[in-house]
Amino acid sequence: MPEQKQSSPLVDGLLVQIPDNDPEETSEWIESLDDLIEERGANRTRYVMLAMLNAARRKNVSVPASFTTPYINTIPAQDEPYFPGDENTERAYRRWIRWNAAVQVTRAQRPGIGVGGHISSYASVSTLYEVGFNHFFRGKSHPGGGDHIFFQGHASPGIYARAFLEGRLSEEEMDGFRQEVSTPSGLPSYPHPRQLPNFWEYPTVSMGLGPAEAIYQAWFDKYLHLNGIKDTSEQHTWAFLGDGEMDEPESRGMLQTAAAQNLDNLTFVVNCNLQRLDGPVRGNGKIIQELESYFKGAGWNVIKVIWGRGWDGLLAADKDHALVHLMDEVRDGDYQTLKANDGAYVREHFFGRDPRTKELVKNWSDEQIWELRRGGHDYRKVYAAYDAALKHKGRPTVILAHTIKGYALGEHFAGRNATHQMKKLTLEDQKALRDRLHIPITDEELEKDPYKPPYYMPDKDDPALRYMLERREALGGYLPSRHREDPHLELPGEKTYKMMTKGSGKQKVATTMALVRLLKELMRDKNIGKRFVPIIPDEARTFGLDAMFPTAKIFNVHGQNYTAVDHDLMLSYKESEQGRLMHTGINEAGSAALMQVVGTSYATHNVPMIPFYIFYSMFGFQRTGDQFWAAGDQLTRGFVIGATAGRTTLTGEGTQHMDGHSPVLAATNPAFVHYDPAYAYEIGHIFRDGLQRMYGDPGDRDPNVMYYLTVYNEPIVQPAQPENVDVEGILRGIHKIDEAAPDRPVVNLLASGVAVPWARHARELLLNDWGIGANVWSVTSWGELRRDGMEANRKNYLDPDHYTKPYVTAKLENTGGPFVASTDFDHILPDLLREWIPGRYYTLGADGFGFSDTRPAARRHFLIDAESMVVRALQAMADDGMIERDLIRQAIEKYDLMNVNATSHRVDDSDDSVA
């Protein structure tokens, strides 16, 4: 082991090695401090010291703040609470779980299967879980409602192994690990609610997303409680995380929110095994100390669980703190190496660094030294930490637990850099692990098939098994689990949506504003109004939601303890403990996490809530696509609103604001149903259908979806709903809004969203300038039409005797003429339908990066405006032999097509104020 470099005289800004020019005086002060601690205790001593520091600051004597404590347990041995369980009994079945978890992964690596798994992660976290399962984690049947547990993704074999002992999973299901379609009882590799919906609650294996969601789960529980929707006062959120995972921005980026909102119903348990997938997390540093400083700085209560009870005597005998100093000085890379060797190595390379620490263990055998545990593997130390976390009020708590990756698996696994990728136990490993865990399985049984070592299931009357089951019964049932009920809401009738059908008269109203008006109306509904939860990442004023500040108010657990600068205005900014708007600040990642939480309340709380997450559409799928994917995995329901959509509509902004592709990204997520409505009446039908599907009777449709609506900030005159409107077409993705003039050559114009008015203007130009008729189709959902087409293809592929016609094909056939499509998005979006368009098909699109300019100039630049549609239509008709090709050149010249300032269809951008 390399020799440590000379340590810095500064530790957290405090001098520790400067020469003392008056040691006698220093000794007197230290003696006084010792007397104070002995006579008055730690709490009084802390108060006095803080008072002295405050007095020093007032006299301009500056002392740097310290955000770390010595590398020892936060809770002294003498302050540990009584452990209420039977430790020997709990150890017995913890060993069974360890064995079965390792066997499950080994069997999954058998010849012909080879899907592997991770053995070492659960080995490091087992004790942390089992203390919780036996004494803290409350199930769904608990009178308080049950806890929310975010399990570490890679440790799933241990959770399955426990469920096996509980009788929840069969041996066949255990053997179906990572074989979800090739076996009738497959289990997903990690916590995936979509794949195992009655078992898993939170998808956590995309690292960093779990910590973010856990924070917002705890915050939302406060929201439910303070708004009188559900009593969540006894519910607690536990998030089990890896130390390597804490490098993800989402893992640390929202810690301040938890502290600012006093989320004492939240506990992070960071499994600090010092290793990530490839090697040490901080080989040259100390990740536990680093995390302590981060969490303390963010306002969290920090509990370190570093050393097991075997170290207590050594620390008590460490009169001059040489051992504590050594613990502080040794780096994580060395701690990892120490546990990959043996007791003799630890004696020489750890205790042997200082003659005083070497003296502490001079009468210890190498075996005794080797048996010294890290704190995260000591039942009593972990219990003390959990107990303290639940009793701490006013702040969230993080427990930093020192563990060993591959613990108890043997020398080939424990602490090794490659341990994360090791997929199976060799026969030698199996026998050694069996012996360490005292599993009653013979050599003959193991040698029979080394790829299929047997699971261990005790007799059903075994006292340890009965004890385990009784503990879960006392705590409210098995975990993890999801509520199986799916309560439906009483939904509003047609009257609520009537306002969306009347049009706007002469007033110009953007579709964003129209949707917000509908939301306000729905939030007033006596049955479901309180179920709506608007989620806003600091853009309420942009979307017209600021009008709700004085009435709905912004949720804050502290209420509003200041005078708002606009308090005398009608639309004053107001926060409240009963606020209904969840304003997350400039934080799309936090908003997306909150969307997951609110949208799964029907399962986590058996209380359906309706998220209405509205944001700049560019900062949705592009920025938080991973979270949206996790939301789909979690069976989230609700409305996701990409406001200010389009590559040219958000006038005056720029490249990073202009969304030309979110519908394309949305089309790749099977949990999203995307609509790009042009008019308010379309929005009304879509929103009503979304509520019915997700919160009412869905019929034969999957209710576990999210409706993504792209809406715009461009004010337009909203037309009244036509008579005999094609509601089915609106919902399925396409309906006709204008008929072609009779007795003329015909072309079909397809458009969506803000492009529909361009298409209608193009229809006028075609008729007036070129004598051509045009049907105009509003394509409310390119993505849903594509899914329908793909499903038809699949049916025709697998059932060649019966032909299924795609909906868009049936809708457009026999309309005559070619087809031209334009949107305010990339060409890719209308190209999604190319296969099923029954005729020549040309698309226009806003490809590339957006930029700042007027809407007309930008649209002419991308060649997507009305005049561009006309020229493209003439080209299509010429290619079909319907007109002379010379008309194309005439049209280009007539409209001065390549001049971005030559457009006949300008929009008054000053009208944006109503958007």
Side-chain angles (χ1 to χ4, degrees):
M1 182 175 292
E3 184 179 338
Q4 296 267 320
K5 295 181 180 178
Q6 179 72 16
S7 61
S8 168
L10 285 173
V11 175
D12 296 318
L14 302 175
L15 290 168
V16 296
Q17 292 186 3
I18 191 170
D20 189 345
N21 58 15
D22 194 344
E24 184 176 348
E25 180 185 23
T26 303
S27 177
E28 291 175 358
W29 281 104
I30 293 174
E31 287 177 10
S32 297
L33 179 63
D34 289 340
D35 290 342
L36 179 62
I37 295 171
E38 184 174 345
E39 293 178 11
R40 302 297 301 278
N43 288 338
R44 176 59 183 167
T45 303
R46 180 177 182 274
Y47 178 85
V48 171
M49 293 182 69
L50 290 173
M52 293 177 67
L53 287 171
N54 189 43
R57 291 190 188 97
R58 289 201 302 268
K59 299 292 186 180
N60 294 320
V61 178
S62 179
V63 179
S66 176
F67 288 101
T68 59
T69 55
Y71 201 67
I72 56 176
N73 296 341
T74 301
I75 302 173
Q78 65 270 20
D79 291 343
E80 291 173 13
Y82 168 75
F83 179 72
D86 183 330
E87 191 169 4
N88 289 330
T89 298
E90 293 179 26
R91 183 184 297 111
Y93 58 79
R94 188 165 74 245
R95 287 169 170 169
W96 303 341
I97 296 171
R98 286 184 181 276
W99 172 262
N100 287 337
V103 166
Q104 181 185 49
V105 177
T106 299
R107 289 167 73 110
Q109 194 66 9
R110 62 191 181 273
I113 303 298
V115 293
H118 299 284
I119 295 178
S120 295
S121 293
Y122 178 72
S124 71
V125 81
S126 174
T127 300
L128 300 177
Y129 281 160
E130 283 304 303
V131 172
F133 275 123
N134 291 317
H135 302 284
F136 293 96
F137 301 161
R138 292 166 290 198
K140 301 295 186 188
S141 298
H142 189 276
D147 292 337
H148 313 293
I149 319 294
F150 289 73
F151 292 99
Q152 214 174 336
H154 292 97
S156 60
I159 307 303
Y160 290 140
R162 173 174 253 272
F164 173 66
L165 288 180
E166 293 168 336
R168 303 170 66 197
L169 295 177
S170 66
E171 184 170 324
E172 181 185 18
E173 288 171 311
M174 291 288 283
D175 274 352
F177 180 57
R178 293 191 166 206
Q179 301 150 69
E180 296 183 67
V181 299
S182 61
T183 64
S185 305
L187 295 177
S189 53
Y190 303 121
H192 293 303
R194 186 165 286 274
Q195 307 302 337
L196 203 60
N198 294 330
F199 192 87
W200 294 116
E201 279 197 288
Y202 300 101
T204 56
V205 80
S206 184
M207 294 187 184
L209 302 193
E213 189 181 356
I215 289 172
Y216 286 92
Q217 180 68 68
W219 192 38
F220 183 62
D221 279 12
K222 297 279 190 181
Y223 175 98
L224 291 175
H225 185 73
L226 292 173
N227 274 282
I229 297 170
K230 185 192 177 188
D231 182 357
T232 62
S233 59
E234 294 187 45
Q235 295 188 263
H236 200 83
T237 297
W238 299 81
F240 287 83
L241 317 167
D243 48 357
E245 179 179 9
M246 296 308 296
D247 282 342
E248 291 284 0
E250 295 90 347
S251 295
R252 302 195 198 187
M254 286 155 266
L255 299 182
Q256 74 287 345
T257 297
Q261 292 293 308
N262 294 147
L263 300 183
D264 50 14
N265 59 339
L266 172 66
T267 298
F268 277 12
V269 182
V270 184
N271 175 21
C272 297
N273 59 36
L274 312 185
Q275 290 182 247
R276 50 192 175 204
L277 275 62
D278 292 329
V281 178
R282 295 290 186 275
N284 289 314
K286 299 177 83 67
I287 186 61
I288 290 178
Q289 301 298 83
E290 176 186 318
L291 292 176
E292 179 185 23
S293 66
Y294 262 85
F295 278 93
K296 278 190 174 178
W300 286 54
N301 175 45
V302 179
I303 300 174
K304 295 193 292 191
V305 185
I306 301 180
W307 307 110
R309 73 192 71 167
W311 294 88
D312 290 344
L314 293 174
L315 287 166
D318 183 32
K319 300 304 182 183
D320 52 5
H321 307 297
L323 179 58
V324 174
H325 180 75
L326 180 59
M327 291 170 167
D328 280 328
E329 289 291 299
V330 173
R331 294 180 172 90
D332 283 357
D334 288 334
Y335 276 123
Q336 182 185 347
T337 302
L338 289 167
K339 268 304 177 184
N341 284 279
D342 55 24
Y345 186 92
V346 175
R347 181 191 299 278
E348 177 183 355
H349 294 282
F350 180 75
F351 291 105
R353 292 186 180 197
D354 188 310
R356 294 168 295 178
T357 55
K358 186 176 182 179
E359 180 71 13
L360 287 174
V361 294
K362 70 176 182 179
N363 295 323
W364 288 43
S365 68
D366 291 344
E367 290 73 19
Q368 287 175 302
I369 291 175
W370 188 243
E371 286 301 314
L372 288 169
R373 296 183 194 170
R374 306 282 165 85
H377 300 301
D378 189 304
Y379 232 59
R380 293 179 184 270
K381 302 296 184 183
V382 174
Y383 179 89
Y386 288 7
D387 180 69
L390 290 184
K391 290 176 178 176
H392 187 86
K393 300 302 176 185
R395 290 186 296 168
T397 293
V398 61
I399 295 169
L400 304 174
H402 199 1
T403 65
I404 300 165
K405 197 163 190 175
Y407 178 76
L409 293 177
E411 62 181 11
H412 297 150
F413 289 82
R416 300 293 177 181
N417 277 338
T419 191
H420 186 81
Q421 300 300 332
M422 298 175 76
K423 308 293 186 183
K424 67 179 187 298
L425 299 172
T426 65
L427 181 59
E428 177 188 355
D429 294 328
Q430 292 171 30
K431 291 180 179 180
L433 182 61
R434 175 204 59 189
D435 294 342
R436 276 192 299 276
L437 299 180
H438 305 287
I439 305 297
I441 292 175
T442 66
D443 283 353
E444 290 75 18
E445 290 175 283
L446 295 177
E447 292 166 356
K448 182 178 180 181
D449 185 349
Y451 284 99
K452 296 187 70 175
Y455 297 106
Y456 179 70
M457 175 63 80
D459 184 84
K460 65 179 181 179
D461 294 323
D462 187 289
L465 181 61
R466 290 204 311 271
Y467 177 101
M468 183 182 82
L469 299 179
E470 288 167 1
R471 291 307 305 143
R472 285 315 313 157
E473 183 178 1
L475 287 166
Y478 299 129
L479 287 172
S481 68
R482 279 171 59 98
H483 281 293
R484 299 187 181 187
E485 304 90 343
D486 194 0
H488 295 163
L489 299 178
E490 184 178 346
L491 302 177
E494 186 175 346
K495 182 179 178 181
T496 301
Y497 301 93
K498 200 72 175 176
M499 57 177 288
M500 303 295 284
T501 67
K502 296 179 178 179
S504 62
K506 295 181 179 180
Q507 183 187 19
K508 292 182 178 181
V509 178
T511 50
T512 297
M513 178 59 76
L515 178 56
V516 168
R517 288 178 181 175
L518 176 60
L519 173 65
K520 294 175 184 176
E521 187 71 17
L522 288 164
M523 288 182 69
R524 287 192 285 265
D525 184 88
K526 64 180 181 179
N527 293 318
I528 69 164
K530 66 180 180 180
R531 305 281 185 173
F532 280 93
V533 183
I535 300 169
I536 314 164
D538 205 38
E539 288 288 354
R541 298 183 191 279
T542 302
F543 308 138
L545 282 163
D546 54 326
M548 300 174 71
F549 288 169
T551 53
K553 301 182 180 63
I554 296 162
F555 175 69
N556 190 309
V557 298
H558 303 293
Q560 184 165 309
N561 300 305
Y562 63 93
T563 301
V565 68
D566 58 357
H567 67 278
D568 55 344
L569 300 181
M570 183 178 294
L571 300 184
S572 174
Y573 191 88
K574 291 189 178 179
E575 299 184 70
S576 169
E577 293 175 76
Q578 290 80 42
R580 297 174 64 190
L581 308 179
M582 298 201 81
H583 198 300
T584 58
I586 305 174
N587 188 352
E588 283 83 8
S591 301
L594 182 56
M595 164 73 191
Q596 285 179 254
V597 169
V598 179
T600 53
S601 181
Y602 72 93
T604 54
H605 287 292
N606 207 32
V607 176
M609 299 296 286
I610 308 170
F612 183 93
Y613 172 29
I614 185 168
F615 52 89
Y616 263 68
S617 64
M618 186 64 159
F619 305 140
F621 279 88
Q622 174 161 295
R623 190 163 190 156
T624 59
D626 190 17
Q627 289 174 281
F628 285 163
W629 190 263
D633 189 349
Q634 198 172 333
L635 309 174
T636 305
R637 303 173 185 176
F639 294 94
V640 179
I641 312 300
T644 61
R647 184 146 281 155
T648 67
T649 305
L650 189 57
T651 180
E653 293 291 346
T655 300
Q656 286 190 296
H657 286 76
M658 304 302 203
D659 169 31
H661 52 279
S662 72
V664 177
L665 298 177
T668 67
N669 189 324
F672 275 87
V673 178
H674 171 247
Y675 286 98
D676 189 31
Y679 298 126
Y681 70 84
E682 294 177 334
I683 292 174
H685 290 293
I686 292 165
F687 211 92
R688 186 178 184 184
D689 178 70
L691 285 175
Q692 181 65 42
R693 179 172 179 176
M694 294 182 286
Y695 297 95
D697 182 359
D700 60 355
R701 297 185 295 174
D702 180 8
N704 299 309
V705 295
M706 292 159 280
Y707 274 44
Y708 176 49
L709 276 66
T710 38
V711 290
Y712 302 83
N713 75 327
E714 181 175 357
I716 62 172
V717 173
Q718 294 289 338
Q721 177 175 290
E723 292 186 17
N724 303 317
V725 64
D726 182 6
V727 176
E728 181 192 20
I730 291 173
L731 299 180
R732 297 195 64 176
I734 186 170
H735 69 115
K736 185 187 290 186
I737 57 175
D738 286 318
E739 288 277 357
D743 304 321
R744 306 292 179 103
V746 174
V747 66
N748 290 278
L749 304 180
L750 281 62
S752 67
V754 76
V756 170
W758 319 338
R760 301 186 85 170
H761 183 56
R763 174 179 177 271
E764 296 173 5
L765 295 176
L766 282 165
L767 181 63
N768 296 332
D769 294 348
W770 311 100
I772 292 171
N775 297 308
V776 178
W777 301 83
S778 175
V779 182
T780 52
S781 183
W782 306 93
E784 289 305 289
L785 290 175
R786 175 174 176 78
R787 286 173 180 167
D788 175 81
M790 294 295 291
E791 180 60 24
N793 283 5
R794 179 178 173 83
K795 289 179 179 178
N796 294 333
Y797 163 55
L798 297 176
D799 186 8
D801 297 328
H802 300 89
Y803 177 69
T804 299
K805 184 177 292 184
Y807 184 79
V808 67
T809 304
K811 206 74 173 173
L812 296 178
E813 66 182 359
N814 303 319
T815 58
F819 301 86
V820 174
S822 185
T823 73
D824 203 17
F825 297 101
D826 196 288
H827 275 87
I828 297 172
L829 185 61
D831 277 346
L832 293 176
L833 301 185
R834 183 171 297 279
E835 180 179 351
W836 303 285
I837 300 297
R840 191 179 296 275
Y841 186 46
Y842 292 100
T843 60
L844 303 174
D847 293 17
F849 292 105
F851 50 83
S852 303
D853 214 310
T854 65
R855 291 172 183 139
R859 288 164 186 169
R860 178 55 61 87
H861 169 82
F862 285 118
L863 298 177
I864 58 176
D865 61 2
E867 291 82 0
S868 300
M869 291 190 77
V870 169
V871 174
R872 198 65 155 151
L874 294 175
Q875 179 196 2
M877 298 180 78
D879 289 347
D880 267 356
M882 298 172 65
I883 61 172
E884 296 295 328
R885 298 196 67 82
D886 185 58
L887 292 181
I888 304 172
R889 174 56 55 192
Q890 293 180 34
I892 293 172
E893 294 173 355
K894 178 179 178 62
Y895 302 129
D896 196 6
L897 199 64
M898 302 309 294
N899 180 359
V900 298
N901 294 311
T903 174
S904 65
H905 193 54
R906 286 189 173 272
V907 175
D908 184 1
D909 292 340
S910 66
D911 286 342
D912 284 357
S913 59
V914 301

